Amino acid sequence: MIINRTNLISFKSNEHREAEMRALARLKELRRQYLEEKLIDIMTYPELDNPVSTKVAGFLSQFTCAIQNASEHNIMEFFGDNKTAKDLRKHLSAECRADSKKLREELQNLDELKDPVMTLICANRMKKFAPKPGILTEEQHTNFVEGIKKTISTIVRNADLDKFEPEDKAGILEMVQKVESSDSVDFGIEQKLKILVDRLNSKKLKLGFIPPVQVKNLTF
């Protein structure tokens, strides 16, 4: 991912919101294609480097960097609880409030952000999209990393973790703590995440071993 000071969106017109909406629509279409072609199984979690989660990680990286560094918005407008999001929108113009609400609705409906394990799979792919040294100023890079960490932490901690067995819930919380304490977007959760995903898939299908889901690379 290439990010620079000149192409960070400012979210000061409908044009910017519409660009993000188109990107989200493409992500949903990609997932639909995978489901239609049976390249993913909705009954199990996908392999960690699956293309859909990777695309979502790329979008969230770009989106978060823009919000944190070139925007009048706050990242929690989109990922915080409803009250927090509403309070943060109060200072915005009517047009910007409408844009914020529309984007929030679309983001909240991403399958990858509805389940805490899927969110962690996306988080694990964030390292692929870390800006190269020199692309951002030190302050911009810090804002980017802190925004990603807060987004992942908020989504996972606000999820219904009680649906998981105690051992699995503890694993999820341990990984989100690693995200929160990281000083980069390489969170170091891959090994623990792989163990958790394999265990959850095994339980779902009541089998001793679940082979990784094989997916092809699709671009859009």
Side-chain angles (χ1 to χ4, degrees), residues 132-166:
K132 291 181 172 57
I135 297 295
L136 300 176
T137 66
E138 184 176 349
E139 181 182 5
Q140 287 174 329
H141 188 267
T142 297
N143 290 340
F144 165 68
V145 172
E146 291 304 312
I148 289 289
K149 288 164 53 178
K150 190 171 184 180
T151 294
I152 298 302
S153 172
T154 299
I155 293 171
V156 174
R157 289 191 179 279
N158 285 347
D160 179 13
L161 298 181
D162 290 333
K163 68 180 181 180
F164 295 94
E165 294 180 10

Side-chain angles (χ1 to χ4, degrees), residues 158-176:
N158 285 347
D160 179 13
L161 298 181
D162 290 333
K163 68 180 181 180
F164 295 94
E165 294 180 10
E167 178 187 18
D168 301 326
K169 179 179 178 179
I172 291 170
L173 290 173
E174 182 180 354
M175 281 184 277
V176 83

Side-chain angles (χ1 to χ4, degrees), residues 9-14 16-17 20 63-79 84-85 87-104 107 143 147 150:
I9 51 181
S10 65
F11 284 82
K12 293 186 182 296
S13 73
N14 282 334
H16 298 131
R17 186 261 300 167
E20 298 301 325
F63 180 80
T64 302
C65 193
I67 292 294
Q68 291 288 94
N69 287 305
S71 168
E72 60 190 311
H73 295 268
N74 184 298
I75 198 70
M76 287 297 105
E77 286 174 39
F78 309 99
F79 301 109
T84 297
D87 288 344
L88 288 170
R89 287 195 297 265
K90 286 180 179 178
H91 74 283
L92 300 173
S93 67
E95 182 180 50
C96 284
R97 280 199 301 271
D99 286 350
S100 176
K101 289 176 70 175
K102 287 178 182 177
L103 268 173
R104 176 183 171 84
L107 286 162
N143 290 340
K150 190 171 184 180

Side-chain angles (χ1 to χ4, degrees), residues 9 21 32 118 131 174 182 207 209:
I9 51 181
M21 297 287 274
R32 187 198 66 75
M118 287 299 295
E174 182 180 354
S182 178
L207 296 174
F209 171 75

Side-chain angles (χ1 to χ4, degrees), residues 1-5 7-8 62 65 129-132 135-136:
M1 177 180 64
I2 298 175
I3 307 175
N4 59 48
R5 298 176 189 82
N7 67 15
L8 291 177
Q62 184 78 50
C65 193
F129 302 98
K132 291 181 172 57
I135 297 295
L136 300 176

Side-chain angles (χ1 to χ4, degrees), residues 159-208:
D160 179 13
L161 298 181
D162 290 333
K163 68 180 181 180
F164 295 94
E165 294 180 10
E167 178 187 18
D168 301 326
K169 179 179 178 179
I172 291 170
L173 290 173
E174 182 180 354
M175 281 184 277
V176 83
Q177 287 171 356
K178 291 197 73 172
V179 170
E180 292 164 346
S181 63
S182 178
D183 57 4
S184 74
V185 292
D186 186 352
F187 301 122
I189 62 173
E190 186 160 337
Q191 184 176 2
K192 290 183 180 296
L193 184 58
K194 178 69 166 60
I195 292 170
L196 175 65
V197 165
D198 285 348
R199 185 168 67 237
L200 290 173
N201 281 344
S202 180
K203 290 176 183 178
K204 283 185 176 183
L205 297 186
K206 297 181 179 179
L207 296 174

